[in-house]
Amino acid sequence: AVAPARTARASLLEEEEKGRENRVTRWRICSSHRRNGLSRVRGADEVSEEAVAGAVGTAATMSDTRRRVKVYTLNEDRQWDDRGTGHVSSTYVEELKGMSLLVRAESDGSLLLESKINPNTAYQKQQDTLIVWSEAENYDLALSFQEKAGCDEIWEKICQVQGKDPSVEVTQDLIDESEEERFEEMPETSHLIDLPTCELNKLEEIADLVTSVLSSPIRREKLALALENEGYIKKLLQLFQACENLENTEGLHHLYEIIRGILFLNKATLFEVMFSDECIMDVVGCLEYDPALAQPKRHREFLTKTAKFKEVIPITDSELRQKIHQTYRVQYIQDIILPTPSVFEENFLSTLTSFIFFNKVEIVSMLQEDEKFLSEVFAQLTDEATDDDKRRELVNFFKEFCAFSQTLQPQNRDAFFKTLAKLGILPALEIVMGMDDLQVRSAATDIFSYLVEFSPSMVREFVMQEAQQSDDDILLINVVIEQMICDTDPELGGAVQLMGLLRTLIDPENMLATTNKTEKSEFLNFFYNHCMHVLTAPLLTNTSEDKCEKDNIVGSNKNSTICPDNYQTAQLLALILELLTFCVEHHTYHIKNYIMNKDLLRRVLVLMNSKHTFLALCALRFMRRIIGLKDEFYNRYITKGNLFEPVINALLDNGTRYNLLNSAVIELFEFIRVEDIKSLTAHIVENFYKALESIEYVQTFKGLKTKYEQEKDRQNQKLNSVPSILRSNRFRRDAKALEEDEEMWFNDDEEEEGKAVVAPVEKSKPEDDFPDTYEKFMETKKAKESEDKENLPKRTSSSGFKFTFSHSASAANGTNSKSVVAQTPPASSNGSSSKTTNLATSVTATKGSLVGLVDYPDDEEEDEEEETSPRKRPRLGS
């Protein structure tokens, strides 16, 4: 069974080698095209559907196909670029003062080429369908004809201009062409290179020969065949042993050049000989004697004595063990012994890379098929009795095993990871990732990253099944979060890696869209119920009042709370905020409920006081992403909680410094102005404008004030038509309002009991109250209109900003409203109610001219309740 596999592998190597040889050959041909032209460039790709289609048709069509050509130019990398397909003609061009070759694109008739036939330019005709020449020293051109007849026709025109016989293949003598190179054009008739006798006194001659052929792909091929046919490499290695015994330094230096040159021949069949158990250590020995070194390196000593092969579980398959040894040694030769190849040698070792690649594929395949071996590895990995050193070796083995798996083809890689999943890789990782040993945790994290990158869905499926049987503390994702939180590295290198993996797992973009599309909803429900509290715990802990007070006592020299001071903690909180910001953008409904229930944005904005500017910017970015959604539920939450205050305080504390924090805060307010978010604009102007009006280096705040006043004027103008409209529409709610009500009802159902930012109302209002409400509304409206013209919004005091509330109904409908300073915190206002004013507000919360009526101070608290009362809405809708 092994022999066919080896044959197939050798065949693959040979095919890849030939492909690379062809590319190298093309490179060389292109770099000296005067000798060799485009003999290898024009390949099967030119036998295209277009060519086939062009060969069918009338005589006129035949004429078109005869002159149909591809235009090539040689680029800076000495590769031929296809400039397009068109039709060639030879015509006298007045501007060029002579006969010229013109090629017009067949797609649009544009001019692809205009080249004067210069009497002294050397044109070459190759393979009956190619004409190659050089316009300048570094500008080479070629025409590849679809048919021989067209090539002959143009060739005759060129020869006619230059006065040459069309039977020649080159119109000018090429002074740099030698007989040897002419001979290279006919490899099929050439003979193999004659190798000198393999003797000590011939080593210099052999070294010169090997070095001389490296510049010629054809001669490299001939030398490789000669070495293979005569068993020459083994004879050379016998000479090496003799030279070493005789301490013949000169001979050893020649052998270094010879063996290095043979490696550069890039021939898989030679590698099979050189890297066999019999020869590989002598090959390494030859490569120790680099003439550039004063003393030879001791690579063999390292490979035989220092490097130890660890069998975490005894490998009984001798071929597998031999393959592992060989791969390690060849990788050592490539990475350590051989010098970094120059630009001209970069393709010389491509087959060596392929050799290592296929070896790794074989190793992974052989291990994967041995389920008894893998089962034993898993058993010992998860066994509590396994000692730490053994477990470390087992985890490192798996890490390398997964790294090797990246060499597999996609379908084989799928089978590999499915095998690991079946054997229980994820439960095993859960155990080892929670261990104290730093090396074990690090290796386990790398393995976990391979699994997440391969199939996030597989990992998600495992953790959701696990949640049905285990406590939250030991869930795999919570173990990962704990590792992220507890990373001891001051720069949090491991935490950054884990954060990236978490983001992949919670990204809806890579969640499978099954027929019932349940993965997204199921996993996000799981994550927010079982894991989110673990992720946000450090954030909530470090922004609690007790924590901040403690930090101030320890040594904060700033009057306001600074949380946190510790750099490593600040780095961690920045990572958590980055994840939460990602959630705001991609999870919408789930994260919205979480933010509302936990009053999370308020806690995050405590970090605006941090002495670490990067952390303050993370907090600001979180708020900016929320505002960027332009969601009125978020907007009401922000305005009711007075959550602009810490942002504005940070801007004022920053003073006149022109830095990133200043720019980011200004950008946030500029976004609100440009997007014309009316509820936020009204809140900012009514409560903070006096503090901001002195900022004149940008027009943002003046622009907000202008927007606010324009909207207020529009609303005042609409008041004249309110009575008639109210009479005809007082019981009707528009579609938009109903949709918002339904969304709030939906959100309220998901909120945890007792934690809702907006409390539901206990009693619904009878519809009979509407007439009284309307009359009261009309009685106070006229008095209010005159007040609006005289009074401007006021701040409570110069010492600080009080919590202020925007009118919820009008905010929900995208309008401004006059804000009133509340003397109580938000929680107290949520619980009160009033029949009359509440129902007045519900009537005014309609679209069109009903939107954004001027609000009254005594309507504030009751309006808030009406907006969030789930029991009232079905009645109003009916």
Side-chain angles (χ1 to χ4, degrees):
V2 174
R6 188 178 292 131
T7 305
R9 175 179 179 280
S11 173
L12 282 168
L13 279 169
E14 288 292 347
E15 286 179 16
E16 181 161 337
E17 177 189 342
K18 285 178 182 176
R20 294 183 188 279
E21 287 289 358
N22 286 339
R23 287 196 291 276
V24 174
T25 303
R26 283 204 301 274
W27 174 84
R28 182 174 176 275
I29 286 168
C30 295
S31 65
S32 59
H33 73 278
R34 290 179 182 177
R35 298 190 296 270
N36 301 318
L38 272 169
S39 59
R40 298 294 176 91
V41 171
R42 188 174 183 272
D45 60 316
E46 292 197 26
V47 186
S48 62
E49 296 174 1
E50 297 171 336
V52 174
V56 181
T58 61
T61 307
M62 293 294 288
S63 175
D64 285 346
T65 59
R66 187 170 65 245
R67 294 197 178 192
R68 194 163 181 266
V69 294
K70 279 182 179 284
V71 180
Y72 290 95
T73 59
L74 198 65
N75 62 28
E76 292 179 356
D77 298 325
R78 311 305 293 170
Q79 298 291 332
W80 289 99
D81 291 333
D82 184 352
R83 292 301 184 185
T85 303
H87 295 89
V88 65
S89 62
S90 59
T91 312
Y92 183 85
V93 177
E94 184 67 33
E95 293 178 1
L96 299 177
K97 305 295 183 186
M99 291 295 291
S100 303
L101 298 176
L102 303 179
V103 180
R104 293 195 176 275
E106 64 179 2
S107 58
D108 57 6
S110 60
L111 201 61
L112 294 177
L113 175 70
E114 185 179 62
S115 172
K116 181 181 177 182
I117 302 174
N118 193 307
N120 299 318
T121 297
Y123 291 85
Q124 294 180 71
K125 186 172 77 165
Q126 299 173 9
Q127 299 181 3
D128 294 332
T129 54
L130 283 169
I131 297 177
V132 186
W133 73 100
S134 180
E135 288 276 315
E137 185 177 350
N138 292 316
Y139 187 65
D140 306 323
L141 289 161
L143 293 179
S144 176
F145 288 79
Q146 184 171 317
E147 295 185 11
K148 177 180 181 299
C151 184
D152 290 342
E153 183 181 334
I154 296 299
W155 184 251
E156 288 179 11
K157 296 284 187 183
I158 294 171
C159 291
Q160 184 180 345
V161 171
Q162 293 197 341
K164 301 290 183 182
D165 183 351
S167 63
V168 301
E169 292 193 346
V170 182
T171 62
Q172 303 289 329
D173 293 333
L174 301 178
I175 57 173
D176 58 344
E177 183 169 357
S178 66
E179 288 302 314
E180 179 188 11
E181 287 162 337
R182 285 176 178 273
F183 182 72
E184 286 176 8
E185 289 296 297
M186 301 176 291
E188 63 278 358
T189 61
S190 64
H191 59 281
L192 297 179
I193 291 178
D194 290 327
L195 292 167
T197 312
C198 195
E199 298 173 354
L200 284 176
N201 59 354
K202 298 281 188 181
L203 284 176
E204 184 174 2
E205 184 180 345
I206 298 168
D208 290 342
L209 172 63
V210 172
T211 305
S212 69
V213 304
L214 293 179
S215 60
S216 166
I218 303 292
R219 298 190 69 211
R220 289 212 310 272
E221 181 72 22
K222 293 176 189 174
L223 178 60
L225 289 171
L227 291 170
E228 187 179 343
N229 291 342
E230 299 181 23
Y232 208 77
I233 291 175
K234 291 185 178 179
K235 296 176 186 177
L236 285 170
L237 295 177
Q238 290 171 1
L239 285 182
F240 165 71
Q241 293 172 2
C243 283
E244 217 172 23
N245 291 335
L246 296 171
E247 297 184 355
N248 182 349
T249 305
E250 185 180 358
L252 292 170
H253 286 169
H254 289 316
L255 280 164
Y256 169 86
E257 298 289 349
I258 293 167
I259 295 299
R260 180 174 176 272
I262 292 174
L263 287 172
F264 282 169
L265 292 178
N266 212 23
K267 192 73 174 173
T269 50
L270 298 182
F271 291 162
E272 294 283 359
V273 176
M274 298 172 77
F275 301 146
S276 64
D277 286 347
E278 179 185 355
C279 300
I280 190 166
M281 295 311 291
D282 286 335
V283 169
V284 172
C286 291
L287 295 173
E288 290 179 355
Y289 292 94
D290 185 346
L293 300 174
Q295 292 294 325
K297 296 285 187 180
R298 295 183 176 181
H299 296 302
R300 283 171 295 173
E301 182 179 329
F302 175 84
L303 288 172
T304 54
K305 295 178 181 177
T306 307
K308 300 296 182 184
F309 177 58
K310 295 179 180 179
E311 293 182 78
V312 290
I313 303 292
I315 296 174
T316 55
D317 188 335
S318 59
E319 185 184 358
L320 174 59
R321 188 187 296 106
Q322 183 272 334
K323 189 69 65 179
I324 292 171
H325 284 305
Q326 184 188 60
T327 305
Y328 176 78
R329 290 165 179 167
V330 177
Q331 189 91 56
Y332 183 86
I333 290 172
Q334 185 185 45
D335 294 344
I336 307 299
I337 300 178
L338 290 176
T340 303
S342 67
V343 174
F344 301 104
E345 299 168 339
E346 61 184 354
N347 291 320
F348 286 0
L349 293 174
S350 56
T351 307
L352 183 62
T353 303
S354 299
F355 186 93
I356 296 168
F357 174 88
F358 283 110
N359 262 18
K360 289 180 177 180
V361 170
E362 283 189 40
I363 291 169
V364 172
S365 300
M366 293 167 81
L367 283 172
Q368 184 182 342
E369 290 164 7
D370 189 350
E371 290 200 10
K372 182 180 178 183
F373 174 84
L374 287 180
S375 299
E376 182 62 26
V377 173
F378 275 110
Q380 292 200 24
L381 189 62
T382 55
D383 189 350
E384 293 182 3
T386 304
D387 64 71
D388 292 344
D389 290 339
K390 180 71 171 177
R391 184 173 281 108
R392 191 179 304 119
E393 290 176 4
L394 288 163
V395 175
N396 283 328
F397 161 77
F398 258 118
K399 175 185 171 183
E400 194 166 1
F401 193 26
C402 289
F404 272 30
S405 75
Q406 302 306 297
T407 62
L408 296 173
Q409 293 296 322
Q411 63 271 23
N412 296 337
R413 191 156 59 242
D414 288 354
F416 168 78
F417 281 112
K418 284 174 182 173
T419 301
L420 291 188
K422 185 173 68 175
L423 291 169
I425 183 72
L426 287 166
L429 277 180
E430 195 170 58
I431 294 172
V432 295
M433 286 187 80
M435 292 183 173
D436 294 333
D437 191 307
L438 185 60
Q439 287 187 355
V440 169
R441 290 206 312 267
S442 176
T445 299
D446 289 337
I447 298 168
F448 185 63
S449 69
Y450 284 120
L451 294 169
V452 171
E453 287 166 14
F454 163 68
S455 175
S457 290
M458 181 180 76
V459 178
R460 286 192 285 260
E461 183 181 359
F462 167 76
V463 296
M464 284 192 288
Q465 290 175 351
E466 181 191 29
Q468 300 170 4
Q469 306 160 6
S470 308
D471 296 332
D472 286 359
D473 292 344
I474 59 173
L475 294 178
L476 177 58
I477 291 191
N478 285 345
V479 171
V480 170
I481 295 172
E482 290 287 353
Q483 292 305 315
M484 184 180 96
I485 291 170
C486 300
D487 188 4
T488 54
D489 177 9
E491 295 299 326
L492 299 185
V496 171
Q497 182 185 8
L498 289 169
M499 191 270 289
L501 298 176
L502 279 173
R503 183 161 57 188
T504 301
L505 287 174
I506 64 176
D507 186 355
E509 295 297 322
N510 62 47
M511 294 182 185
L512 296 177
T514 55
T515 50
N516 52 5
K517 296 185 178 180
T518 56
E519 185 181 22
K520 178 178 177 180
S521 58
E522 285 184 4
F523 182 75
L524 291 181
N525 282 336
F526 156 79
F527 183 78
Y528 280 85
N529 287 331
H530 298 277
C531 308
M532 185 57 100
H533 68 280
V534 182
L535 178 64
T536 56
L539 179 64
L540 297 175
T541 302
N542 282 281
T543 55
S544 66
E545 293 182 5
D546 293 343
K547 172 71 176 176
C548 293
E549 288 171 6
K550 183 179 177 183
D551 285 348
N552 286 335
I553 293 169
V554 168
S556 171
N557 56 5
K558 195 171 179 181
N559 292 329
S560 58
T561 54
I562 302 178
C563 304
D565 282 336
N566 179 274
Y567 174 76
Q568 190 169 346
T569 305
Q571 286 276 72
L572 174 63
L573 295 186
L575 282 180
I576 293 171
L577 277 175
E578 189 175 335
L579 263 181
L580 291 174
T581 304
F582 177 86
C583 292
V584 166
E585 189 170 5
H586 292 87
H587 294 173
T588 57
Y589 159 67
H590 291 84
I591 189 66
K592 186 194 296 184
N593 272 352
Y594 194 85
I595 290 172
M596 301 285 190
N597 289 336
K598 297 289 185 182
D599 200 8
L600 191 63
L601 180 55
R602 182 187 307 282
R603 302 291 282 274
V604 167
L605 290 175
V606 169
L607 302 176
M608 291 297 295
N609 290 325
S610 173
K611 71 176 184 181
H612 302 286
T613 306
F614 71 87
L615 183 56
L617 286 167
C618 284
L620 184 63
R621 191 180 304 119
F622 180 70
M623 185 177 190
R624 171 65 175 81
R625 194 62 52 87
I626 288 174
I627 290 175
L629 296 176
K630 297 191 283 188
D631 184 320
E632 281 300 326
F633 286 99
Y634 276 132
N635 292 347
R636 285 199 294 274
Y637 165 64
I638 290 169
T639 55
K640 289 175 184 176
N642 199 38
L643 298 183
F644 278 111
E645 181 178 357
V647 176
I648 291 171
N649 285 341
L651 175 65
L652 298 176
D653 289 343
N654 191 61
T656 57
R657 283 173 290 181
Y658 178 41
N659 53 18
L660 190 56
L661 180 63
N662 174 275
S663 298
V665 174
I666 296 293
E667 191 278 335
L668 181 139
F669 289 107
E670 182 67 13
F671 175 82
I672 294 170
R673 185 191 70 80
V674 171
E675 296 295 325
D676 195 17
I677 305 176
K678 295 180 173 58
S679 55
L680 298 184
T681 302
H683 175 74
I684 294 163
V685 172
E686 290 171 355
N687 296 283
F688 304 111
Y689 186 71
K690 285 190 177 179
L692 298 170
E693 62 183 346
S694 61
I695 298 177
E696 296 182 345
Y697 50 84
V698 289
Q699 298 302 306
T700 298
F701 300 109
K702 287 186 177 179
L704 283 171
K705 179 73 178 297
T706 302
K707 291 257 184 186
Y708 169 75
E709 289 174 345
Q710 288 172 348
E711 180 64 20
K712 192 173 178 182
D713 289 342
R714 278 196 297 272
Q715 295 304 322
N716 288 337
Q717 289 170 10
K718 289 180 182 180
L719 287 176
N720 295 330
S721 60
V722 167
S724 60
I725 295 174
L726 277 177
R727 290 190 190 95
S728 59
N729 293 283
R730 58 182 180 174
F731 297 115
R732 197 169 72 194
R733 304 286 298 277
D734 68 329
K736 181 177 178 182
L738 286 174
E739 287 174 4
E740 291 177 354
D741 290 343
E742 287 167 5
E743 185 178 354
M744 181 61 91
W745 177 292
F746 186 57
N747 289 348
D748 288 344
D749 287 346
E750 293 295 323
E751 291 172 351
E752 295 175 18
E753 187 175 350
K755 294 183 179 179
V757 174
V758 183
V761 178
E762 292 298 322
K763 289 178 64 179
S764 60
K765 297 281 102 182
E767 293 181 11
D768 293 339
D769 286 350
F770 271 85
D772 295 338
T773 306
Y774 172 64
E775 289 173 7
K776 177 158 287 207
F777 169 76
M778 292 305 297
E779 286 173 5
T780 54
K781 180 177 75 68
K782 293 180 181 178
K784 191 62 183 176
E785 281 181 304
S786 59
E787 282 181 23
D788 286 339
K789 294 177 182 177
E790 296 175 3
N791 299 330
L792 289 173
K794 299 177 182 177
R795 286 174 58 193
T796 53
S797 68
S798 59
S799 60
F801 297 107
K802 296 289 185 182
F803 291 145
T804 58
F805 304 114
S806 296
H807 191 286
S808 300
S810 58
N813 288 283
T815 60
N816 280 336
S817 58
K818 186 174 173 83
S819 180
V820 185
V821 177
Q823 301 302 323
T824 55
S828 62
S829 65
N830 287 341
S832 58
S833 63
S834 168
K835 286 185 178 183
T836 307
T837 54
N838 188 30
L839 289 171
T841 309
S842 69
V843 175
T844 60
T846 54
K847 205 171 182 181
S849 58
L850 290 181
V851 173
L853 295 174
V854 177
D855 302 325
Y856 300 101
D858 54 347
D859 288 346
E860 189 78 21
E861 297 173 355
E862 292 76 17
D863 168 65
E864 180 184 332
E865 288 182 19
E866 190 281 333
E867 279 296 316
T868 60
S869 173
R871 296 182 182 134
K872 190 182 302 178
R873 291 192 175 96
R875 258 186 203 183
L876 290 174
S878 62

